[in-house]
């Protein structure tokens, strides 16, 4: 592809920038070229700010050593927030899941980011996730409940079942986020598996 | 491979994330064998195929085939069987994953084998309904798989001296190349062998006889379980050059050793 673009008469620096931008998830070569041309058309200040922002992210952001989410501080503001219920831990797969749950504004506990999910077929086992760190966090006895909010995929479910198993001899309450019909959808279009789970996990009205 | 849409029953044996919201799945179809398909938008909450293209579901899939493509396009898909009890149990999930892993590793693309598909579905059904020991069900699936790919176990007479009865209760050798049991004295100079107990020989004979009822009643000792599990895995690796690692099979053991979840 690079050769084709070089042959198309673009300066090598633009081709190089396009190559890097095309590595972003969801960005194809055409979009990458559009972005590169936008940088060219913009002021030098814009390019400098973009470059500074990229470097700042790499320099300042790291994993919180308590919950393993992305943060500029260690421990992160969520872990040090005294208004949050530190005895409730919500376990998620990736830092992006923390952002999604925080957006809802309904969770007042803290988090634990596993860094993935157990996938036997891909050879991703519990040892490759931050499950030992989760066990360590519960050792001082202040945690009362672990809410497993891994994705409702076979990998996420396997991870949830594994967590339930390893804490089965403790006094901790292990719960799983509810699964069911997406808001705004038609029942007749929902797949059998989701519908079955939503009926099994039904709740009382009022 | 013909062009155009075709409806086929298929077992979802593997999925990987693709792009923002799609999934690439490996399906083991009845008519076309192993087929890689892209399920566009399958990870979106409101997509029609959310929850359908998931392991180990048995689905009816409409696949748009194009000979020039290595990954075909999935049209509609609906669940035939979703095996909910397997999905709710960690150990059964481990067993189902081992079955799917064997299906994925043992066959190349577009190599149809309806018999092994049916056997895999039967095995998943047995796991789902908890009929019989899951370990024995997995062993029986492995033997059916060996037969399907053209390798047979022969746990009867020693291929060198022809003795049969002496084997049970004594220490014997399993000859990985031939799939036969030979006496320790007759151990061949060429080819790898692994020691095997009389109890395991007896179990293997029941497997080959297809004595399912006897097998399901048998309670193999821990050492025989380990021995047969290891023997079947090494036999497959010996005869199938493409198989090096079997992570799901390995992980199954660690799942089985975890404490039980209180009911």
């Amino acid at each position: 592809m690079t050769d084709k673009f070089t042959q198309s008469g673009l300066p090598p620096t633009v081709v190089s920038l396009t190559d890097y931008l095309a590595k972003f998830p969801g960005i194809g070569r055409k979009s990458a070229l559009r972005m590169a041309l936008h940088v060219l058309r913009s002021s030098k200040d814009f390019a400098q700010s973009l470059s500074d922002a990229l470097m700042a992210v790499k320099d300042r952001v790291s994993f919180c050593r308590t919950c393993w989410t992305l943060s500029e501080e260690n421990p992160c503001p969520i872990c040090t927030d005294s208004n949050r219920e530190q005895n409730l831990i919500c376990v998620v797969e990736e830092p992006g899941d923390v952002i999604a749950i925080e957006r809802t504004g309904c969770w007042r506990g803290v988090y634990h980011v596993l860094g993935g999910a157990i996938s036997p077929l891909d050879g991703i086992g519990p040892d490759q996730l931050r499950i030992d760190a989760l066990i360590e966090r519960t050792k001082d006895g202040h945690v009362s409940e672990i809410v497993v909010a891994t994705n409702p995929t076979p990998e996420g479910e396997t991870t949830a079942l594994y967590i339930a198993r390893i804490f089965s001899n403790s006094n901790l309450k292990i719960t799983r986020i509810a699964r069911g019909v997406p808001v705004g959808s038609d029942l007749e279009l929902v797949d059998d598996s989701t519908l079955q789970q939503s009926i099994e996990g039904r709740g009382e009205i009022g | 491979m013909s062009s155009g849409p075709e409806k086929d029953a298929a077992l979802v044996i593997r999925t990987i994330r693709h792009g923002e919201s799609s999934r690439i799945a490996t399906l083991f179809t009845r008519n076309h064998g192993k087929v890689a398909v892209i399920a566009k938008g399958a990870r979106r909450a409101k997509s029609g195929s959310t929850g359908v293209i998931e392991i180990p579901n048995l689905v009816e899939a409409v696949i748009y085939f194009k000979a020039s493509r290595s990954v075909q396009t999935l049209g509609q898909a609906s669940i035939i069987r979703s095996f909910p009890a397997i999905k709710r149990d960690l150990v059964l999930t481990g067993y189902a994953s081992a079955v799917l892993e064997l299906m994925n590793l043992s066959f190349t693309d577009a190599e149809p084998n309806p018999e092994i598909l049916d056997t895999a579905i039967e095995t998943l059904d047995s796991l789902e309904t908890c009929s019989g020991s899951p370990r024995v069900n997995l062993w029986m699936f492995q033997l059916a798989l060996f037969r399907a790919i053209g390798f047979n176990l022969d746990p009867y007479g020693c291929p060198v001296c022809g003795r049969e009865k002496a084997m049970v209760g004594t220490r014997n050798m399993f000859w990985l190349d031939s799939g036969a049991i030979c006496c320790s004295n007759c151990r061949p100079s060429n080819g790898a062998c692994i020691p095997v107990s009389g109890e395991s020989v007896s179990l293997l004979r029941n497997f080959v006889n297809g004595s399912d009822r006897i097998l399901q009643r048998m309670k193999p000792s821990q050492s025989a379980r380990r021995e047969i599990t290891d023997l079947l895995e090494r036999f497959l690796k010996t005869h199938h050059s493409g198989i090096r690692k079997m992570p799901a099979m390995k992980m199954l053991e660690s799942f089985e050793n975890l404490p039980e979840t209180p009911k």
Side-chain angles (χ1 to χ4, degrees):
Chain A
M1 281 303 278
T2 306
D3 287 343
K4 193 178 153 193
F5 270 74
T6 314
Q7 283 160 14
S8 69
L10 284 167
T13 46
V14 179
V15 174
S16 169
L17 179 59
T18 307
D19 283 345
Y20 279 111
L21 292 170
K23 287 179 182 172
F24 282 85
I27 303 294
R29 291 206 63 86
K30 277 187 182 173
S31 301
L33 180 60
R34 258 201 307 276
M35 289 160 78
L37 293 175
H38 178 76
V39 172
L40 270 179
R41 275 195 298 270
S42 307
S43 66
K44 201 167 181 179
D45 282 351
F46 173 81
Q48 188 60 55
S49 305
L50 176 66
S51 161
D52 291 347
L54 285 170
M55 287 316 295
V57 160
K58 290 304 286 179
D59 289 342
R60 288 189 224 146
V61 179
S62 62
F63 290 113
C64 165
R65 293 286 154 187
T66 307
C67 71
W68 298 93
T69 195
L70 294 170
S71 172
E72 288 187 14
E73 293 150 50
N74 194 8
C76 70
I78 294 175
C79 288
T80 49
D81 186 347
S82 57
N83 292 323
R84 284 185 176 259
E85 296 177 55
Q86 300 286 335
N87 58 327
L88 305 178
I89 298 180
C90 177
V91 177
V92 294
E93 290 180 22
E94 301 291 348
D97 301 330
V98 173
I99 299 164
I101 296 173
E102 281 297 288
R103 222 168 33 222
T104 67
C106 67
W107 177 248
R108 296 306 304 156
V110 292
Y111 295 92
H112 188 85
V113 182
L114 295 173
I118 297 172
S119 176
L121 291 166
D122 297 312
I124 302 170
D127 300 346
Q128 281 130 287
L129 307 177
R130 297 185 195 106
I131 291 179
D132 284 345
L134 176 65
I135 297 170
E136 205 57 46
R137 282 181 78 176
T138 63
K139 275 188 178 162
D140 63 4
H142 80 277
V143 177
S144 61
E145 182 177 351
I146 290 176
V147 180
V148 187
T150 49
N151 289 327
T153 58
E155 294 79 21
E157 295 300 338
T158 306
T159 310
L161 290 168
Y162 184 85
I163 290 171
R165 275 283 189 106
I166 53 168
F167 287 109
S168 61
N169 291 332
S170 72
N171 293 325
L172 285 174
K173 185 176 172 188
I174 310 293
T175 54
R176 179 86 173 107
I177 52 165
R179 286 150 292 182
V181 181
V183 175
S185 64
D186 281 1
L187 280 190
E188 62 176 347
L189 298 176
V190 176
D191 70 274
D192 299 354
S193 173
T194 307
L195 205 48
Q196 186 184 350
Q197 287 182 352
S198 61
I199 290 170
E200 284 171 0
R202 67 190 181 275
E204 216 169 304
I205 302 171
Chain B
M1 189 183 287
S2 61
S3 278
E6 277 190 50
K7 197 182 267 187
D8 208 347
L11 203 57
V12 184
I13 58 174
R14 182 117 198 248
T15 66
I16 52 167
R17 291 173 175 197
H18 179 74
E20 290 287 287
S21 61
S22 301
R23 213 182 272 283
I24 290 180
T26 308
L27 306 180
F28 199 96
T29 65
R30 185 168 295 281
N31 300 324
H32 298 276
K34 231 169 82 173
V35 179
V37 296
I38 180 161
K40 289 178 183 167
R43 280 160 47 219
R44 282 204 190 99
K46 289 173 189 176
S47 154
S49 55
T50 308
V52 178
I53 301 301
E54 274 187 357
I55 56 162
N57 288 354
L58 176 65
V59 299
E60 186 178 67
V62 177
I63 303 167
Y64 289 82
F65 284 101
K66 200 172 178 184
S68 57
R69 283 193 301 233
S70 58
V71 179
Q72 308 302 327
T73 306
L74 182 79
Q76 284 182 323
S78 57
I79 294 177
I80 300 173
R81 241 172 284 174
S82 65
F83 306 106
I86 292 178
K87 292 173 186 171
R88 279 194 295 261
D89 186 286
L90 184 67
V91 175
L92 293 180
T93 299
Y95 276 105
S97 299
V99 170
L100 302 182
E101 178 175 76
L102 286 166
M103 297 271 286
N104 192 29
L105 295 176
S106 307
F107 293 90
T108 53
D109 286 358
E111 188 187 350
N113 194 320
E115 293 81 20
I116 201 68
L117 176 66
D118 286 336
T119 310
I121 296 166
E122 276 170 31
T123 308
L124 293 175
D125 273 338
S126 303
L127 295 174
E128 174 75 10
T129 55
C130 295
S131 67
S133 147
R135 178 59 71 176
V136 171
N137 286 322
L138 177 62
W139 285 341
M140 293 197 313
F141 174 74
Q142 283 175 282
L143 283 194
L145 185 84
F146 295 157
R147 280 193 293 273
I149 56 176
F151 305 110
N152 282 320
L153 289 184
D154 179 16
Y156 288 93
C158 167
V160 182
C161 72
R163 271 195 307 172
E164 185 183 321
K165 280 188 177 172
M167 288 181 182
V168 178
T170 59
R171 204 76 193 158
N172 308 287
M173 302 304 280
F174 179 76
W175 192 357
L176 287 164
D177 283 340
S178 70
I181 306 282
C182 54
C183 318
S184 45
N185 295 338
C186 302
R187 180 184 180 152
S189 53
N190 58 333
C193 285
I194 49 174
V196 59
S197 66
E199 183 189 358
S200 298
V201 174
S202 170
L203 277 162
L204 284 172
R205 286 180 178 173
N206 280 311
F207 279 137
V208 176
N209 278 338
S211 317
D212 299 13
R213 280 189 191 165
I214 300 172
L215 275 169
Q216 293 294 5
R217 279 204 305 268
M218 291 180 96
K219 293 211 169 12
S221 64
Q222 275 301 321
S223 63
R225 271 173 70 106
R226 262 197 304 275
E227 223 169 55
I228 291 187
T229 301
D230 182 49
L231 178 151
L232 295 177
E233 189 176 324
R234 289 182 65 177
F235 182 63
L236 183 63
K237 283 180 177 170
T238 302
H239 290 277
H240 204 305
S241 55
I243 300 177
R244 288 280 168 269
K245 285 181 180 170
M246 296 163 80
M249 198 71 91
K250 201 175 164 196
M251 220 171 285
L252 171 58
E253 248 171 75
S254 66
F255 287 171
E256 283 188 305
N257 293 332
L258 287 169
E260 286 288 326
T261 314
K263 301 279 179 212

